[in-house]
């Protein structure tokens, strides 16, 4: 197991275009998180899944953002009609089980630049 | 609202010296976990240390230790014998029950040779 994998690592898109990111969690991890991180800031929670169920979606997330986790495996995060303010690092993390002490493992992130 | 505050945006420490990073949090829950994560430049975030709120004993991991003051809602990280590889952003975070992990804004740590 190579850890949490995110694809692509970098994405440059024109304003108004749609983009989709993929996250492959560590196998058997049933909890999957998406965070957004801007330069010099801490990760901001976007949404998370328990298996295929999306448990919570941040109020920061506009209707242009949608996430899925079909069959409780990999997850995708789609941003429609991108805006310059969407430029950020998008981080995915996964953890095993429902216990609070379980470690969340992070991927290397997808850096989005909207021009 | 659940918040995590890191009041030191940047800190510097001489190699081999000790440094303490501060963190305070706000929650009405009595059962939760606290974490310190490290994010080296252009690399992924990794867990440094974790603390169970119900444990009075402070967690330690080699050169890393915490000072957990539950009543004050304070959770500082002490790095002893600082090494060049410790240079990174450090994020304080906490988690209640099976909820999401909430992060602070981070402290950038510089190690001076």
């Amino acid at each position: 197991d190579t850890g949490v994998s995110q694809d692509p690592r970098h994405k440059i898109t024109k304003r108004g275009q749609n983009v989709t990111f993929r996250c492959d969690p560590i196998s058997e991890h049933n909890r999957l998180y998406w965070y957004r991180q801007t330069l010099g800031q801490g990760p901001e929670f976007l949404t998370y899944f328990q298996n295929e169920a999306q448990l919570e979606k941040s109020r920061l997330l506009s209707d242009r953002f949608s996430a899925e986790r079909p069959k409780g495996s990999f997850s995708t995060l789609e941003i429609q009609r991108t805006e310059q303010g969407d430029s950020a690092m998008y981080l995915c993390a996964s953890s095993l089980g429902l216990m609070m002490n379980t470690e969340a493992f992070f991927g290397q992130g997808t850096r989005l630049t909207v021009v | 609202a659940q918040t995590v505050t890191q009041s030191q945006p940047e800190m510097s420490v001489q190699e081999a010296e000790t440094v303490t990073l501060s963190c305070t949090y706000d929650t009405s829950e009595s059962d939760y976990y606290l974490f310190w994560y490290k994010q080296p430049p252009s690399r992924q975030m990794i867990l440094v240390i974790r603390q169970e709120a119900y444990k009075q004993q402070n967690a330690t991991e080699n050169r890393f230790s915490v000072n957990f003051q539950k009543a004050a809602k304070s959770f500082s990280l002490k790095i002893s014998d600082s090494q060049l590889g410790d240079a990174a952003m450090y994020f304080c975070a906490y988690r209640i029950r099976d909820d999401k992990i909430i992060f602070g804004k981070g402290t950038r740590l510089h190690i001076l040779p």
Side-chain angles (χ1 to χ4, degrees):
Chain A
D1 198 339
T2 56
V4 179
S5 177
Q6 292 189 244
D7 183 70
R9 293 287 308 280
H10 303 274
K11 178 71 176 178
I12 299 175
T13 190
K14 291 183 178 179
R15 189 174 53 185
Q17 297 295 305
N18 299 343
V19 294
T20 300
F21 310 141
R22 178 181 170 121
C23 171
D24 286 272
I26 294 173
S27 57
E28 299 176 352
H29 278 194
N30 45 28
R31 182 63 63 89
L32 186 147
Y33 304 84
W34 284 100
Y35 286 86
R36 179 171 62 191
Q37 186 179 24
T38 53
L39 196 62
Q41 299 295 312
E44 290 180 298
F45 168 76
L46 294 180
T47 187
Y48 74 122
F49 294 83
Q50 177 67 30
N51 298 314
E52 66 275 11
Q54 188 173 19
L55 298 185
E56 187 176 342
K57 186 176 175 180
S58 168
R59 284 171 289 181
L60 296 173
L61 227 55
S62 75
D63 291 341
R64 298 184 296 106
F65 288 72
S66 62
E68 294 182 339
R69 192 182 181 194
K71 302 179 182 178
S73 56
F74 70 92
S75 176
T76 58
L77 177 67
E78 181 184 16
I79 309 174
Q80 296 182 326
R81 305 181 303 281
T82 52
E83 302 173 355
Q84 286 190 321
D86 296 332
S87 296
M89 177 75 84
Y90 290 83
L91 299 173
C92 176
S94 70
S95 67
L96 177 64
L98 299 177
M99 302 301 292
M100 288 184 286
N101 65 335
T102 54
E103 178 180 351
F105 292 83
F106 282 80
Q108 291 191 291
T110 294
R111 181 169 296 283
L112 173 67
T113 302
V114 182
V115 298
Chain B
Q2 302 161 18
T3 59
V4 178
T5 302
Q6 294 180 249
S7 59
Q8 306 149 315
E10 287 194 63
M11 291 194 72
S12 296
V13 63
Q14 207 76 33
E15 193 176 3
E17 296 296 309
T18 295
V19 64
T20 298
L21 309 184
S22 301
C23 173
T24 58
Y25 58 94
D26 185 22
T27 181
S28 56
E29 301 289 331
S30 60
D31 192 16
Y32 49 89
Y33 274 75
L34 296 161
F35 307 90
W36 278 97
Y37 277 86
K38 171 185 178 181
Q39 188 177 41
S42 302
R43 295 182 62 185
Q44 65 204 93
M45 193 143 15
I46 56 174
L47 180 67
V48 174
I49 197 166
R50 80 189 87 185
Q51 172 79 42
E52 296 91 331
Y54 64 86
K55 286 188 177 179
Q56 292 186 336
Q57 186 174 5
N58 290 322
T60 62
E61 288 286 344
N62 301 314
R63 299 182 295 106
F64 299 87
S65 61
V66 298
N67 183 4
F68 174 47
Q69 301 290 329
K70 191 170 184 178
K73 296 181 181 177
S74 170
F75 183 59
S76 60
L77 173 69
K78 185 171 82 171
I79 306 174
S80 303
D81 185 26
S82 298
Q83 300 175 0
L84 293 178
D86 295 334
M89 282 290 287
Y90 286 82
F91 295 100
C92 178
Y94 91 112
R95 185 181 191 183
I96 59 170
R97 292 189 294 275
D98 59 350
D99 209 348
K100 55 191 176 290
I101 303 171
I102 303 296
F103 289 86
K105 292 189 174 183
T107 296
R108 183 174 299 282
L109 180 64
H110 303 277
I111 310 295
L112 307 174

